[in-house]
Amino acid sequence: MQFNLKARDWHNWISVILLIPMLIVGLSTLFLAHKKELGLDKLDLTPYVGWLPGYGAAPAPGGHTEARSSLALADGAHLIGTQGGLFRVAKVDDQLRAEAIRELGGTAVRDIAAAPFGIVVAAKNGVWLETRQGWRKALDSDAWNANAMPDGSVVVAVKDGGLLASRDGEAWEALPGIRPALAALSSGELVRERVTLGKLMIDLHTGKAFFGKSLEWIWIYLLGAVWVFLGFTGLWLWWKSQTKRRDAARGKLAAGAARG
């Protein structure tokens, strides 16, 4: 196939190259529209994405290990929660050294609380508990906060579950009366959401500004479907044009051979 510098040919070839990211964006957008229903956050693909330049084999540096929460331990060490996991920082040979807690590697740790029954960690992939047997996941839910109570229990705030309390890390129960009290607030008692230009841009991008948080998937789905449609139709039109050129070239060759 011969290349030339015609504007139309440049346009066609650049469009074909851009079809790949267009299809990726469109298909991934459709998946994100149903992220919760499909349980996308529960599928661990870590061993299979190392070939992608954005991941690689090495852990992400910089803000990935910036401290977001901490807990002082009785032995003088500290547990430090970061966007990239949980770390135990202690003195070794008069120098502070950090050791990663493998069970929470790569997940955002948001809060840490000490309870009589163990250490409770609120992380993006769940509520974790450390006992003498080691670390284990106590709740499989996106957790935002952990708070040790005077009575020895721990209260955690989890997504779609509200405030849950436990006295042993095994049984978790919703705090009574909290949800009804919040639901009973009148519109006059609620503070209007502050919308900055940055937030408006995000909400326009996600569709929340048009449909609200609960229905923003409609906007995401529409955009994803449009990108996929344009990608496949563009690929089809390009293929048809190439086929037409090929057939025309073959026709000329056949006509020339017949005259010869």
Side-chain angles (χ1 to χ4, degrees):
M1 186 176 295
Q2 184 178 2
F3 290 90
N4 55 52
L5 297 178
K6 291 182 180 179
R8 183 178 182 84
D9 289 338
W10 277 111
H11 174 81
N12 290 339
W13 280 105
I14 291 175
S15 298
V16 170
I17 294 172
L18 292 179
L19 283 176
I20 297 175
M22 183 184 295
L23 289 174
I24 291 175
V25 171
L27 291 173
S28 60
T29 300
L30 294 179
F31 274 96
L32 289 175
H34 302 287
K35 178 180 178 181
K36 182 179 177 181
E37 293 84 351
L38 296 174
L40 300 185
D41 287 335
K42 296 181 180 179
L43 298 175
D44 186 7
L45 301 179
T46 306
Y48 313 108
V49 297
W51 59 275
L52 291 170
Y55 300 107
H64 201 64
T65 53
E66 181 180 352
R68 299 296 176 89
S69 56
S70 67
L71 176 69
L73 303 178
D75 61 0
H78 283 78
L79 285 178
I80 306 296
T82 73
Q83 283 292 96
L86 182 67
F87 299 86
R88 188 179 189 274
V89 179
K91 274 191 175 183
V92 178
D93 298 329
D94 294 328
Q95 287 188 335
L96 285 176
R97 298 186 182 276
E99 177 186 3
I101 306 300
R102 294 190 176 276
E103 289 82 355
L104 285 98
T107 189
V109 173
R110 291 156 175 160
D111 206 357
I112 314 170
F117 52 84
I119 295 174
V120 178
V121 171
K124 182 176 177 60
N125 67 350
V127 177
W128 289 79
L129 175 66
E130 184 197 33
T131 62
R132 293 180 180 179
Q133 288 72 39
W135 288 94
R136 65 176 180 82
K137 186 181 288 189
L139 280 175
D140 189 16
S141 183
D142 192 351
W144 292 92
N145 175 262
N147 187 25
M149 305 300 289
D151 63 359
S153 64
V154 168
V155 176
V156 296
V158 298
K159 186 177 181 180
D160 300 326
L163 298 176
L164 304 178
S166 177
R167 293 181 178 273
D168 56 7
E170 300 287 343
W172 296 85
E173 296 180 352
L175 290 181
I178 300 296
R179 281 195 169 185
L182 294 175
L185 289 171
S186 64
S187 59
E189 296 174 290
L190 296 174
V191 179
R192 185 178 179 83
E193 183 180 18
R194 183 169 178 262
V195 180
T196 64
L197 179 58
K199 177 172 175 52
L200 177 61
M201 293 299 101
I202 294 175
D203 291 346
L204 288 173
H205 178 77
T206 62
K208 179 183 176 183
F210 306 115
F211 299 99
K213 181 65 178 177
S214 61
L215 295 177
E216 65 181 13
W217 65 268
I218 298 176
W219 177 258
I220 297 173
Y221 201 89
L222 287 174
L223 290 182
V226 168
W227 277 93
V228 172
F229 174 78
L230 292 177
F232 277 115
T233 54
L235 186 61
W236 171 253
L237 291 174
W238 173 81
W239 175 254
K240 291 288 289 183
S241 67
Q242 296 302 310
T243 303
K244 186 176 180 180
R245 288 185 179 182
R246 182 196 62 194
D247 293 343
R250 288 179 176 176
K252 288 182 179 180
L253 289 176
R259 286 194 299 268

